[in-house]
Amino acid sequence: MKKIILIFLPFYVFAGTYDYLKIPFSSKESAILNLFGLFGRSGSALFVNPASIFEMEKIFETGYGNYLIDMHKGFISFPIFKEENPFLSIGIRFLYLGKFTKTDSFGNKIGEYSGENISLGLYFPVLNKYKIGAGFEILYNAIENYSSIGEMVSIGWNFYEKEIKDGLFRNSFIIKNFGFEIKPFHKKRAEFPLRFVYAGGLRFRTFEAGISLFYTLKEGLDGEISYFYRWGKNLKVAISYTTYNRDVGIGESIRDILSGISTGIGIDIKKVYLFYSYTPFGIFGDIHRIDISYRFWKYFLFSFLEQFYLL
């Protein structure tokens, strides 16, 4: 697998630097996609929709775990409240790229090197009346002797909210990853995965459901539909379908259709929360994600994130 990564390494260094911003940083996000940003209350929901700050819980949240082979990902979210209202949230995301083998022109191993992607963000309300939130991030990327620094802004707007019997109807519009590379890896500046998102949905006591349309720069228009159900106090199930990443198919019609489906199940056991998600991913096999979260005291939540592929 490392050899495959090395083959595409030059493309990553000079063209795909910021694609890691599209990676789901939690299993719940991978299971319900943009619905997570529409109704999410955790700090990690800010990475999907900055307007989530208006409903954010007063809790310090952090997660760390495996992403692929020896690659690791993690995040930290630290909210600051003023008079019981969210005032600011500090967010950190990182992806450690693991170790790569360095060879000479004859294929002989002459050493190893590693790389990492780190973003430091500030998320805050812009217009409380209209529920517009924003995030500003500084991004640092490094691999071997190369490094880059970029800056990025994301804006979220929760609009046309309407309370209905025992529930809420909400719409969101999000501009994500609008950025500029200050210090590029190479002479050519890398492009950010700019994305425009519309999401709309319903939230009731027992379930959430929604749809979203999003346009990603140079990738085109895609859609999603998601459903999240709470079964009693301890069990949660989720299912979603997206047209995004459908180009990873293997030429088998049923398998290609399944490549857009994600499912998940969550269990609450006192202070421990377990969430598992499953995503078929075409030629790359099946993606399994597991989050094990533990709540310390009252305001601290730690999650162990595990992701693995089965071909």
Side-chain angles (χ1 to χ4, degrees), residues 76-133:
I76 296 173
S77 176
F78 182 76
I80 300 173
F81 281 67
K82 185 177 181 181
E83 297 179 355
E84 298 303 315
N85 295 313
F87 171 72
L88 180 72
S89 182
I90 301 171
I92 298 174
R93 287 181 284 178
F94 68 87
L95 177 66
Y96 172 70
L97 300 177
K99 292 184 178 181
F100 298 91
T101 299
K102 190 174 184 179
T103 62
D104 59 21
S105 57
F106 299 100
N108 299 313
K109 181 179 177 179
I110 59 175
E112 290 185 337
Y113 58 93
S114 62
E116 59 273 341
N117 300 320
I118 303 172
S119 69
L120 171 62
L122 298 177
Y123 301 87
F124 48 89
V126 176
L127 293 173
N128 291 39
K129 181 179 178 180
Y130 298 101
K131 293 192 175 181
I132 297 177

Side-chain angles (χ1 to χ4, degrees), residues 34-42 45-56 86 124-134 154-163 168-176 197-203 211-212:
N34 284 312
L35 186 64
F36 183 62
L38 185 64
F39 293 119
R41 295 173 176 173
S42 64
L46 290 170
F47 303 139
V48 182
N49 179 9
S52 297
I53 194 168
F54 293 101
E55 293 190 3
M56 191 170 55
F124 48 89
V126 176
L127 293 173
N128 291 39
K129 181 179 178 180
Y130 298 101
K131 293 192 175 181
I132 297 177
S154 295
I155 298 174
W157 175 29
N158 290 343
F159 67 97
Y160 191 68
E161 293 187 349
K162 185 176 181 180
E163 292 186 2
L168 175 70
F169 174 68
R170 171 181 291 165
N171 295 271
S172 289
F173 179 72
I174 309 162
I175 302 174
K176 297 180 63 176
V197 182
Y198 161 77
L202 294 164
R203 180 174 69 191
I211 61 170
S212 68

Side-chain angles (χ1 to χ4, degrees), residues 21 33 51 66 110 131 134 142 174 208 240 254 293 307 309:
L21 295 169
L33 309 172
N66 180 62
I110 59 175
K131 293 192 175 181
I174 309 162
E208 297 168 6
S240 63
I254 295 179
S293 304
Q307 175 172 312
Y309 293 73

